[in-house]
Amino acid sequence: MRKAGIRDKVGLILMSAASFMPLASLKASRLDRGSPFFLWDLPPEGLLIIGSLLALILLSGVAYARFGRDIGRYLSPRILWSLMPAALIAAVSAAGAGSTAPEGARLGLGAGFWLLCAASLILTGRDGVPNSALLAAGASLALCAYLGLMDDLSIYRELVSRRTVFLSEVANHMKLAVLSAFAATVPGVLLGYWCHVSPKARRWVMGFINLMQVIPTLSLLGLIMLPLSYLSRQLPVLADLGIRGIGFAPAFIALGLYCLLPVTANTLAGFSGVDRKALFSADAMGMTGRQKLIRIQAPLAFPVIFSGIRTALSQNIGNATIAGLVGGGGMGTLIFLGLSQAAPDLVLLGALPVILMALLLDGFLGYLEKRVRMAVLHTDD
Amino acid sequence: MAAPVLPVGMALHSYATVPGGRHVAPIRGIKPGWLNYRYNLPMAVEWNFREGENVKTRLLVSLLVVALAFSMMGGCLTKKESKAPVVVATMLDSEGGVLGKAIVLLLRAKKIEVTDKVNFGTPDILRKALENKEVDLVVDYTGSGQYYHPEDATDATIWNDPVRGYEFTAKLDKDKNDIIWLAPAPANNTEMIAVTRKFSEENNVKDMRAFADYVNSGKPVKLICAAGFVENPMRLIGYEAAYGFKLTNEQLIILSSGNTAEMLKALYEGTSGVNASLVYGTDGALDQMDLVVLDDPEHVPPVYLPAPVIRGEVLRAYPEIEDTLKPFFESLTLEVLQKLNSKVAYEGKDAAAVAEEYLKANGFLK
């Protein structure tokens, strides 16, 4: 028998705990709190769907133990766990179809559902969720939507009723977060290098950047809006370029300022961390200052700087929600609209893509970082 | 920048070249041409192998190029058309959604080009955007004039009169900011107090006088409302003075924002013993949650009529906007607005669909 790792234990404990939480609730209308129902309240066909998936997982697990390998590449017990979210949705929608609810009634997904999904995703991998599992989960959920199994879900209805806005806001959000992070990279790296060469500058620059970081986002936006609207009124050219006190520009600047800390701090750390011996050797070889910078310091500091940029991008995806309050667009528009209407599912519809975007971007940059590290340092760690 | 193609991976990889043309042994682990080892990047080749070049200039030039690229990117993203479309923006709530989408549809039907910024932001942001010419046409409420022109709004009684309050705000905005208030809707979206129908019937509380008697009799009361409502002499303090009652801090639940959806939910579900709530006159939930708005015979709070507000410059460019919007806004009574808001907030329908349905049913749109 294979020993269960700590991740598996956490996953299994989470799963058993989540089984006793409300799976979903039947809401008479959008703002209704709804009557919750549990796993054991599901109709027989719903239990059958979940039960057969569990049986399949068990079967492939037994086969694994018996033959010492997976029965098929895509039938390993781990990968099968990724089908659980879709199975749960199918089961919940079967419950919805069985009830005699009035027009406009909908199903809100409960804590039990989200935790069961999280637990099954934890169980898909030994360390981290493998790409194949994510792909399988995504594909099975898309199939659910195609088959109409999601039509009664509250969050899906919110999506359908504003799908055009949703897509444009996702694009807006991405644009705002990624562009402002990239725009902050150049000054961030230059400031970091300046801090490295001049201890005097370090005190002032790092002090300023740390100050930026502790100002609450909304206050920073307010602080930026005042000089920006003054500037755009004095210089109409700026206003024509889209740089005004409200909308894209203040959000862009505020997010860029927040990105300075990780980029600058990591640049400083990267340059400070370069091995002195390498620098001494370079001196001994007669390298000039700029040769040392370009051939030795920059390549050695690069991986650290890159992870700073990665941190900046991930935090930016989350921070960009605040743009919704100042007309900058993004997922914040949906979240704040949901809050103003006390509609939790609309808030969720705004928040889930933000999480997904942050995770996907972070994964992609992690992959890129690995490649760059290999290319620059010729090492794999 | 064209780079000289060098025999990558040959002798150059084992020896670093330093100024003066001397050859020295390579440092272990770091190979010259660090980026071109795997990826044949011309910049790295140049930097590493051209002697006597001015790296500083090169660095400056490339930085300049990057900066230029970014500014051009920014310029493209927010490019302005020469013939500007009308930018329609509204507040971030259900009513802002429906009224904004209806305005967009009506203007488009008149072949006016529109930029849709419906659900733009919070009220103060929206007003600032209008003053800064970021947006052209918004939906605002007549009573807000007291905040826009506080130095002139000395006579508080005009805000209790729908006509005087509207005319006062419209005149000041036109003279000072060249902002025009068009015909308002006859629906007072003001701050009232609501109770559940059950509570109203059990305690025979139908208006504020009865509510004051109920409070003074010492029976349990818990009012949920916004911080701005409590501290304002024209709101709760005004109600208390006009009807002769006083709520203690223990009888209040104060939320920081004026988000009534949250409050009405608490009232409807009786969370924390809440039995009275702040409500806006056109709130969609009133219709659905079976709530009773308490009558206010003394007219304590200011009148808030929703009205389209447009920049003078834009109205002069498109004078037909005034007559296009007038009949639509005049059709919006309190009940109509409650119904429209309820469809968005309660049934979860798309604001644009609700607006279109209403416009078609009432002949404003073919």
Side-chain angles (χ1 to χ4, degrees):
Chain A
M1 271 298 283
R2 207 158 30 118
K3 269 213 277 191
I6 181 81
R7 274 179 70 91
D8 293 352
K9 279 182 198 155
V10 169
L12 287 172
I13 291 171
L14 191 62
M15 186 161 277
S16 25
S19 306
F20 295 96
M21 292 182 191
L23 190 63
S25 56
L26 191 62
K27 298 173 165 187
S29 76
R30 184 165 175 244
L31 300 183
D32 189 18
R33 178 180 282 173
S35 46
F37 61 87
F38 294 83
L39 209 51
W40 50 87
D41 295 330
L42 285 175
E45 59 265 39
L47 287 174
L48 190 71
I49 295 170
I50 295 176
S52 50
L53 181 61
L54 284 176
L56 206 60
I57 292 171
L58 200 68
L59 205 70
S60 66
V62 168
Y64 186 97
R66 173 73 181 79
F67 301 113
R69 63 184 185 87
D70 294 344
I71 9 178
R73 189 172 150 70
Y74 296 105
L75 271 179
S76 80
R78 290 198 174 276
I79 207 84
L80 283 173
W81 279 114
S82 67
L83 300 179
M84 190 52 97
L88 285 171
I89 282 185
V92 167
S93 93
S99 70
T100 50
E103 189 75 13
R106 49 192 66 207
L107 291 159
L109 296 170
F113 172 81
W114 298 111
L115 285 180
L116 281 176
C117 287
S120 43
L121 279 182
I122 287 176
L123 289 173
T124 53
R126 208 178 276 267
D127 39 18
V129 181
N131 289 335
S132 50
L134 281 183
L135 211 66
S140 56
L141 286 176
L143 186 70
C144 274
Y146 178 73
L147 291 176
L149 292 174
M150 288 196 192
D151 290 353
D152 289 333
L153 296 185
S154 184
I155 184 166
Y156 190 72
R157 282 202 192 171
E158 300 282 357
L159 173 66
V160 168
S161 80
R162 42 179 75 72
R163 55 188 174 279
T164 46
V165 181
F166 179 80
L167 288 179
S168 72
E169 293 303 358
V170 167
N172 244 340
H173 194 98
M174 213 54 179
K175 194 169 85 183
L176 191 59
V178 173
L179 285 185
S180 61
F182 280 146
T185 301
V186 176
V189 169
L190 289 181
L191 280 176
Y193 183 68
W194 190 32
C195 290
H196 172 65
V197 292
S198 153
K200 203 173 167 189
R202 183 183 313 173
R203 287 221 334 260
W204 287 99
V205 171
M206 290 315 285
F208 168 75
I209 288 173
N210 281 322
L211 185 72
M212 283 293 124
Q213 204 71 14
V214 293
I215 301 177
T217 327
L218 206 53
S219 326
L220 187 60
L221 276 175
L223 286 178
I224 290 169
M225 270 153 60
L226 285 174
L228 264 189
S229 18
Y230 176 78
L231 264 181
S232 70
R233 242 175 294 165
Q234 299 302 313
L235 299 167
V237 187
L238 283 181
D240 287 345
L241 276 172
I243 300 170
R244 304 177 208 205
I246 279 157
F248 191 80
F252 184 84
I253 294 174
L255 290 173
L257 284 174
Y258 277 112
C259 287
L260 277 183
L261 179 70
V263 177
T264 309
N266 274 44
T267 307
L268 177 61
F271 277 114
S272 311
V274 172
D275 194 349
R276 300 289 291 268
K277 285 178 200 144
L279 292 176
F280 288 147
S281 316
D283 281 336
M285 290 192 321
M287 282 196 182
T288 61
R290 71 175 138 89
Q291 277 179 321
K292 273 198 294 184
L293 172 63
I294 288 166
R295 289 201 200 160
I296 295 171
Q297 289 174 302
L300 284 175
F302 193 77
V304 186
I305 298 174
F306 195 89
S307 26
I309 298 171
R310 185 178 165 191
T311 313
L313 261 172
S314 312
Q315 83 170 27
N316 233 15
I317 294 270
N319 276 345
T321 40
I322 205 81
L325 283 182
V326 292
M331 300 317 286
T333 313
L334 296 182
I335 295 177
F336 292 117
L337 193 63
L339 285 175
S340 84
Q341 297 177 347
D345 291 300
L346 186 51
V347 178
L348 215 54
L349 183 68
L352 281 180
V354 174
I355 299 171
L356 208 65
M357 273 190 266
L359 289 179
L360 285 180
L361 199 68
D362 192 59
F364 173 68
L365 287 176
Y367 167 77
L368 215 62
E369 191 179 343
K370 213 169 134 191
R371 294 301 300 266
V372 169
R373 204 179 274 256
M374 277 162 65
V376 172
L377 293 181
H378 317 298
T379 55
D380 286 341
D381 47 50
Chain B
M1 282 184 273
V5 180
L6 287 162
V8 177
M10 292 180 62
L12 284 166
H13 260 179
S14 40
Y15 290 96
T17 317
V18 294
R22 285 169 291 138
H23 292 276
V24 290
I27 305 162
R28 245 188 101 226
I30 304 162
K31 292 189 180 148
W34 49 278
L35 257 173
N36 80 357
Y37 177 70
R38 294 258 174 103
Y39 308 103
N40 189 6
L41 296 183
M43 220 151 58
V45 174
E46 266 184 333
W47 284 5
N48 278 332
F49 298 112
R50 262 210 201 153
E51 282 183 28
E53 65 180 348
N54 191 343
V55 172
K56 228 179 231 168
T57 327
R58 224 161 254 283
L59 211 70
L60 271 178
V61 168
S62 30
L63 273 184
L64 217 69
V65 168
V66 170
L68 210 73
F70 263 109
S71 55
M72 269 165 65
M73 202 148 64
C76 289
L77 286 172
T78 48
K79 211 172 85 188
K80 258 211 121 173
E81 301 288 317
S82 51
K83 190 177 180 323
V86 180
V87 182
V88 177
T90 56
M91 291 173 198
L92 199 48
D93 55 21
S94 325
E95 194 160 285
V98 181
L99 295 185
K101 288 290 182 193
I103 291 175
V104 169
L105 287 170
L106 283 171
L107 294 191
R108 284 198 177 137
K110 289 272 173 193
K111 301 272 186 291
I112 298 173
E113 212 184 322
V114 177
T115 304
D116 183 348
K117 291 223 171 187
V118 170
N119 286 337
F120 181 78
T122 50
D124 48 328
I125 293 279
L126 191 65
R127 173 69 186 186
K128 259 189 211 147
L130 185 69
E131 285 174 0
N132 288 330
K133 305 180 182 175
E134 167 108 352
V135 302
D136 302 325
L137 176 54
V138 305
V139 175
D140 208 334
Y141 297 86
T142 54
S144 307
Q146 57 185 311
Y147 304 112
Y148 302 154
H149 306 286
E151 65 280 8
D152 299 294
T154 42
D155 179 12
T157 57
I158 58 167
W159 303 114
N160 298 333
D161 184 327
V163 180
R164 280 172 68 206
Y166 169 73
E167 283 171 352
F168 181 82
T169 311
K171 186 175 176 326
L172 279 178
D173 254 355
K174 189 175 180 187
D175 295 347
K176 285 189 173 175
N177 307 321
D178 192 21
I179 287 173
I180 315 291
W181 287 68
L182 302 178
N188 187 5
N189 192 6
T190 194
E191 290 133 319
M192 318 271 279
I193 291 177
V195 296
T196 58
R197 188 168 301 280
K198 191 162 156 267
F199 176 90
S200 165
E201 277 161 10
E202 274 172 12
N203 300 292
N204 200 22
V205 171
K206 292 213 163 48
D207 61 5
M208 285 307 295
R209 289 212 178 91
F211 183 72
D213 291 342
Y214 174 84
V215 173
N216 291 334
S217 70
K219 286 183 198 155
V221 61
K222 199 113 196 176
L223 172 69
I224 186 164
C225 56
F229 178 76
V230 177
E231 290 146 14
N232 196 314
M234 292 182 76
R235 309 292 194 290
L236 186 60
I237 297 176
Y239 273 124
E240 287 177 339
Y243 297 104
F245 67 100
K246 180 90 189 117
L247 290 173
T248 62
N249 274 344
E250 288 73 49
Q251 289 169 319
L252 292 172
I253 294 180
I254 302 171
L255 303 184
S256 60
S257 76
N259 176 4
T260 51
E262 210 59 66
M263 302 174 197
L264 293 176
K265 208 170 177 180
L267 174 63
Y268 182 59
E269 288 165 2
T271 317
S272 311
V274 167
N275 56 12
S277 166
L278 168 69
V279 71
Y280 298 127
T282 60
D283 228 306
L286 286 174
D287 187 33
Q288 297 282 347
M289 289 182 171
D290 211 13
L291 305 177
V292 175
V293 178
L294 299 179
D295 272 339
D296 171 28
E298 303 278 344
H299 298 291
V300 174
V303 175
Y304 283 89
L305 309 179
V309 182
I310 188 168
R311 296 201 297 116
E313 213 177 298
V314 181
L315 185 64
R316 284 189 288 278
Y318 301 98
E320 65 270 34
I321 289 180
E322 182 161 11
D323 291 331
T324 310
L325 298 183
K326 199 170 184 222
F328 165 62
F329 268 82
E330 281 175 349
S331 76
L332 297 171
T333 59
L334 199 67
E335 291 72 33
V336 169
L337 267 180
Q338 278 178 6
K339 279 235 162 58
L340 293 179
N341 287 336
S342 142
K343 276 185 186 156
V344 174
Y346 205 77
E347 290 170 33
K349 286 189 183 157
D350 181 25
V354 172
E356 193 176 355
E357 189 190 339
Y358 175 77
L359 290 176
K360 282 194 172 147
N362 291 278
F364 297 115
L365 212 66
K366 268 160 229 110

